[in-house]
Amino acid sequence: MASTIAFGDTNSGFEANIIHERPETPPDPLAIVPFARDQDFVERGGLLDRIQQKCVVPGSRTALAGLGGVGKSQLAIEHIYRTRERSPETWVFWVHASSLARFEQSYRDIADQVKIPGRKDPKANILKLVRDWLHAGKYGPWLLVLDNFDDTYLLPETGHGGREVQRNGIDSGNSQRLSTYLPQSQNGSILITSRSKGIALKLVEEKNIIVVEPMAQSHALALFEKKLGSLGDGKDITELAEALEYMPLAIVQSATYIHQRAPRCSVRQYLEDFRKSDRKKTSLLDYEGGQLRRDSEARNSIIITWQISFEYVRRNWPSAADLLSLMSFFDRQGIPEFLVRTRIQSKGNYQSQNLLAQNRERKVGDDSDENSTSDSGENDGFEDDVQVLRNYSFISCDNERTFGMHALVQLAMRKWLEAKEQLEPWKQKYIKSLSAAFPYGKYENWATCQALFPHAKAAISQRPKAEGSVMEWVSLMCNAASYTREKGITAETLQLSRTALEVAKKILGHEHWMTVRCMAREAIVYTLEGRWKEAEELQVPVVETIKRIRGEEHPDTLRHISILATIYHSRGRWTEAEELYIQVLEIRKRVLGEEHPDTLFSMHDLALNWEVQSRDTEAIQLLEECIRLRSRILGADHPDTLSASETLKKWQS
């Protein structure tokens, strides 16, 4: 009978146990894989070849990192089957690495399958037995897959929050990390799948990490067509794949939904429902239809899959979760660093400030400590937070100063915030930040307006509830409308103005300054459309209200009197218009000065009025003076200078 001596991992001595076991013959090389091969698998542009090239190197460690639902595990499964086809003598082992208990159970299953001697001893260190068996390589080459290695529990000797780990000879007192139970051997290779590049970097060199992105369009369409069969129309499938941002799990999820409800649900109907609202979109993406080749504990809903990662980030890096919360409201592209860097850390958002400081001081298992690009003495934590979110593929860097996100990740984040009763506070922070940054749409501000305009459009559907925040939201809509008006984008100007006006009337009241401002914006839109009667009907009460609120010589009052004069002028009421133009010009000269840009606008308007009344000499003289001053003050290339110069040429020709 065989005698086996099992030694513990501590330095406190050893136990000798005589185990009476019947000798067992190890099986031939086999593949312990819990999933069947996917007959609908779609090649992804040489990605599998890259995996194979790295994994074929003896002793290699390779990681697939990327968002949950991008197909990391599916790639690993297909790689396993291809490996067995090429090399039947290779052992293949699948380890569920999503938790400590599952990791250990996977090792126990390996020990049972390959019949490792000593495994039946209740005091045996199963992890050490399996590691040593693999390290020895006595029975041939092997491939070990660690799937869903998304936590840092393998790395330090303690779990999150200082919880001690004790499992079959692994305890907090032996200074052993669980990662030491991964074999370092030339006899085999390890393939890891992880949602976090930062965590993968603890075990794998940067050059051996393959970042898995969403599918290319052609691959996504091929997957859809395989899953839907004859149910889909090519154009509809293309639109739906784009709406799902080419995420494999979302594609399989939606295809399953459609298949199970056909013929009462088509691709077109699904797409139309998907586009109705965020709430409907979330409902469809919450569907957990059958995905046979995912871990039994993994969720088949891509929304829930991401929210699990959000929760993990919140627990370990609360300020990174704050940053992601704020970013989720912006347009998906071109999120400006200056708007999110200065975010306000409110008390009680997720964790206390003590926990925030504690997480900043973590040295082991920190997803960002090895990758931070900032000097630790000067870093305000922002770069660490950015690196955490990049490691989880939640955000990307568009360039040095802007970030990008997947729209579906933003939706999932907002849904998660709603469940945590944090949606409204973060929405208000977003509106406050954007409203303060978005300037009035005059020419000098066009570059800033252009960069921020997509985010202002995104804010249309993010109206806050609190009155103070509503005022900021209305102000943002008005400034965005002023930009589109100056750029001559009439349709969007009208949309922004009317949206702001409806909300202002309802929440703030008809006499509120912001409501009046919105009415004025809509009147301006009518002037752009040549709807002078409707414009006058709005502008007259606007002028009366602003006089009462601001006073007769306030710049806002003068601007709106000037707009009313332009309306009169365009309706052929030139004398009434002239009286108002002269009134505004005289007050602006006295209050603002003769060379102020607003004064020059009044000179230009009055010159136009005189010209249409056939007072040509006076009109030309006034316009020449206006051009001379604009050239000196604004510059010869300024649009206002150029416009006035063109008008003068026409008059003189």
Side-chain angles (χ1 to χ4, degrees):
M1 306 293 286
S3 297
T4 302
I5 299 178
F7 294 87
D9 281 342
T10 67
N11 295 323
S12 59
F14 65 87
E15 294 183 71
N17 298 292
I18 306 301
I19 310 298
H20 298 286
E21 290 184 347
R22 180 177 300 172
E24 297 177 285
T25 302
D28 293 331
L30 50 77
I32 304 175
V33 186
F35 309 107
R37 194 170 192 173
D38 186 1
Q39 300 304 313
D40 294 333
F41 182 82
V42 173
E43 291 279 1
R44 298 177 66 174
L47 199 49
L48 275 172
D49 290 338
R50 291 176 59 199
I51 297 170
Q52 193 271 333
Q53 289 165 8
K54 291 183 179 297
C55 288
V56 76
V57 177
S60 65
R61 289 186 177 185
T62 305
L64 306 180
L67 268 175
V70 294
K72 302 180 297 294
S73 298
Q74 309 310 309
L75 287 164
I77 292 168
E78 182 63 21
H79 172 68
I80 283 173
Y81 282 100
R82 295 191 182 191
T83 298
R84 288 284 293 174
E85 287 175 350
R86 285 189 298 265
S87 177
E89 70 278 7
T90 298
W91 297 80
V92 177
F93 305 110
W94 188 279
V95 175
H96 295 288
S98 58
S99 69
L100 176 60
R102 299 200 74 203
F103 180 88
E104 182 185 353
Q105 183 58 50
S106 294
Y107 262 46
R108 187 173 296 281
D109 292 342
I110 292 172
D112 289 338
Q113 289 287 341
V114 303
K115 298 180 171 49
I116 298 177
R119 71 188 185 281
K120 295 180 181 179
D121 183 351
K123 296 183 179 180
N125 183 338
I126 294 296
L127 302 186
K128 182 177 183 299
L129 287 177
V130 172
R131 180 200 64 189
D132 292 349
W133 187 92
L134 291 168
H135 183 79
K138 182 178 178 182
Y139 297 102
W142 48 265
L143 168 64
L144 181 67
V145 177
L146 301 182
D147 188 40
N148 292 327
F149 177 53
D150 301 325
D151 206 327
T152 55
Y153 70 87
L154 279 173
L155 302 170
E157 68 265 25
T158 57
H160 297 308
R163 295 195 301 273
E164 292 187 349
V165 177
Q166 185 168 0
R167 293 286 192 280
N168 290 339
I170 311 160
D171 59 57
S172 60
N174 64 14
S175 299
Q176 291 276 16
R177 293 187 181 190
L178 292 180
S179 57
T180 62
Y181 294 100
L182 300 178
Q184 293 276 8
S185 171
Q186 295 297 303
N187 299 308
S189 61
I190 298 176
L191 178 62
I192 299 165
T193 72
S194 179
R195 297 177 190 180
S196 170
K197 181 181 175 183
I199 290 178
L201 277 169
K202 305 298 182 180
L203 297 177
V204 177
E205 292 185 15
E206 175 96 34
K207 66 182 180 181
N208 291 324
I209 293 180
I210 298 174
V211 177
V212 182
E213 303 286 355
M215 288 178 139
Q217 183 189 53
S218 59
H219 303 146
L221 296 180
L223 179 60
F224 244 137
E225 288 166 1
K226 285 189 173 187
K227 294 297 182 183
L228 285 172
S230 61
L231 291 178
D233 172 82
K235 181 177 180 294
D236 293 342
I237 289 176
T238 299
E239 290 183 30
L240 182 53
E242 182 180 4
L244 296 174
E245 298 186 290
Y246 310 116
M247 296 284 182
L249 179 57
I251 289 171
V252 173
Q253 187 181 346
S254 61
T256 303
Y257 182 97
I258 294 166
H259 231 298
Q260 291 181 352
R261 286 162 174 75
R264 294 176 61 81
C265 180
S266 64
V267 176
R268 170 51 54 182
Q269 183 179 341
Y270 186 99
L271 183 60
E272 289 174 353
D273 287 345
F274 191 84
R275 289 170 170 168
K276 280 181 180 176
S277 65
D278 280 356
R279 189 167 297 279
K280 184 62 177 178
K281 192 177 297 182
T282 303
S283 174
L284 291 170
L285 293 174
D286 270 339
Y287 176 69
E288 295 212 63
Q291 166 58 285
L292 301 179
R293 275 162 281 280
R294 279 175 65 80
D295 184 358
S296 59
E297 291 192 2
R299 305 302 294 267
N300 291 329
S301 158
I302 198 164
I303 290 282
I304 298 175
T305 295
W306 291 336
Q307 289 177 347
I308 291 170
S309 295
F310 298 159
E311 187 65 40
Y312 182 76
V313 171
R314 179 191 69 84
R315 288 197 309 270
N316 292 280
W317 303 280
S319 60
D322 286 352
L323 178 58
L324 189 63
S325 299
L326 183 58
M327 284 185 173
S328 69
F329 292 91
F330 287 83
D331 183 72
R332 62 177 296 271
Q333 293 179 318
I335 301 171
E337 177 185 326
F338 77 92
L339 284 184
V340 295
R341 180 183 277 275
T342 56
R343 66 196 185 281
I344 301 170
Q345 294 285 350
S346 293
K347 199 176 199 181
N349 282 336
Y350 295 120
Q351 302 280 353
S352 70
Q353 294 302 314
N354 289 337
L355 180 57
L356 179 59
Q358 172 186 326
N359 277 278
R360 286 275 175 239
E361 294 170 0
R362 293 170 60 207
K363 301 299 181 185
V364 180
D366 190 337
D367 201 51
S368 60
D369 57 359
E370 293 183 2
N371 304 302
S372 174
T373 57
S374 299
D375 183 271
S376 59
E378 299 177 357
N379 183 19
D380 63 358
F382 180 80
E383 294 298 337
D384 291 336
D385 293 338
V386 166
Q387 194 59 45
V388 168
L389 300 181
R390 289 184 68 190
N391 283 340
Y392 276 90
S393 299
F394 286 143
I395 68 171
S396 60
C397 292
D398 295 340
N399 54 49
E400 290 184 1
R401 291 290 175 257
T402 63
F403 303 101
M405 287 183 72
H406 290 290
L408 295 185
V409 172
Q410 291 180 303
L411 174 65
M413 187 67 193
R414 293 196 301 270
K415 181 71 175 176
W416 184 74
L417 287 172
E418 185 177 17
K420 301 289 182 183
E421 298 184 349
Q422 287 290 321
L423 184 68
E424 187 63 22
W426 282 107
K427 184 186 295 183
Q428 291 178 17
K429 293 180 194 299
Y430 158 65
I431 296 300
K432 185 179 189 67
S433 175
L434 189 54
S435 178
F438 203 112
Y440 188 77
K442 58 185 179 181
Y443 173 76
E444 292 79 3
N445 297 328
W446 279 8
T448 301
C449 292
Q450 182 178 3
L452 298 182
F453 185 68
H455 307 297
K457 286 190 69 177
I460 293 175
S461 60
Q462 301 294 343
R463 177 167 63 86
K465 296 177 181 178
E467 181 175 319
S469 192
V470 167
M471 289 178 61
E472 292 169 337
W473 181 86
V474 170
S475 176
L476 171 62
M477 295 297 107
C478 287
N479 280 348
S482 73
Y483 167 66
T484 55
R485 183 198 72 207
E486 294 292 329
K487 295 285 286 185
I489 312 173
T490 305
E492 288 189 320
T493 304
L494 189 58
Q495 179 195 15
L496 290 163
S497 299
R498 285 182 174 172
T499 301
L501 180 57
E502 289 172 5
V503 173
K505 284 180 177 178
K506 182 178 179 181
I507 305 297
L508 305 176
H510 289 254
E511 289 289 310
H512 195 280
W513 161 240
M514 292 305 301
T515 306
V516 175
R517 188 181 174 196
C518 292
M519 290 174 64
R521 288 284 176 273
E522 188 161 359
I524 291 171
V525 174
Y526 285 144
T527 66
L528 294 175
E529 294 181 326
R531 298 164 62 182
W532 303 108
K533 183 175 184 296
E534 293 97 323
E536 181 179 344
E537 289 172 351
L538 275 176
Q539 191 64 20
V540 169
V542 164
V543 169
E544 292 173 354
T545 305
I546 290 178
K547 281 183 179 179
R548 187 166 62 253
I549 296 174
R550 298 292 203 196
E552 295 199 0
E553 295 190 353
H554 191 279
D556 290 335
T557 306
L558 298 177
R559 183 168 63 253
H560 288 288
I561 293 174
S562 182
I563 293 171
L564 181 58
T566 300
I567 294 171
Y568 288 158
H569 177 94
S570 299
R571 298 196 71 186
R573 292 154 60 181
W574 299 316
T575 302
E576 293 173 84
E578 180 185 359
E579 292 174 358
L580 293 180
Y581 282 141
I582 292 173
Q583 174 189 340
V584 171
L585 178 58
E586 289 176 350
I587 295 175
R588 280 177 169 171
K589 282 182 177 180
R590 177 164 46 81
V591 175
L592 302 177
E594 294 191 358
E595 296 184 352
H596 191 280
D598 288 354
T599 306
L600 301 183
F601 265 117
S602 291
M603 292 175 65
H604 182 271
D605 290 341
L606 183 57
L608 294 176
N609 179 269
W610 283 346
E611 193 277 335
V612 81
Q613 295 187 66
S614 299
R615 296 162 63 178
D616 297 343
T617 301
E618 295 170 280
I620 289 174
Q621 289 176 350
L622 186 58
L623 191 58
E624 285 176 337
E625 177 65 10
C626 176
I627 293 170
R628 184 184 67 79
L629 292 172
R630 278 181 171 174
S631 297
R632 182 163 58 82
I633 296 165
L634 303 178
D637 294 331
H638 191 282
D640 293 342
T641 308
L642 295 174
S643 174
S645 297
E646 285 297 316
T647 300
L648 182 61
K649 287 179 183 178
K650 291 178 182 177
W651 289 357
Q652 293 175 332
S653 62

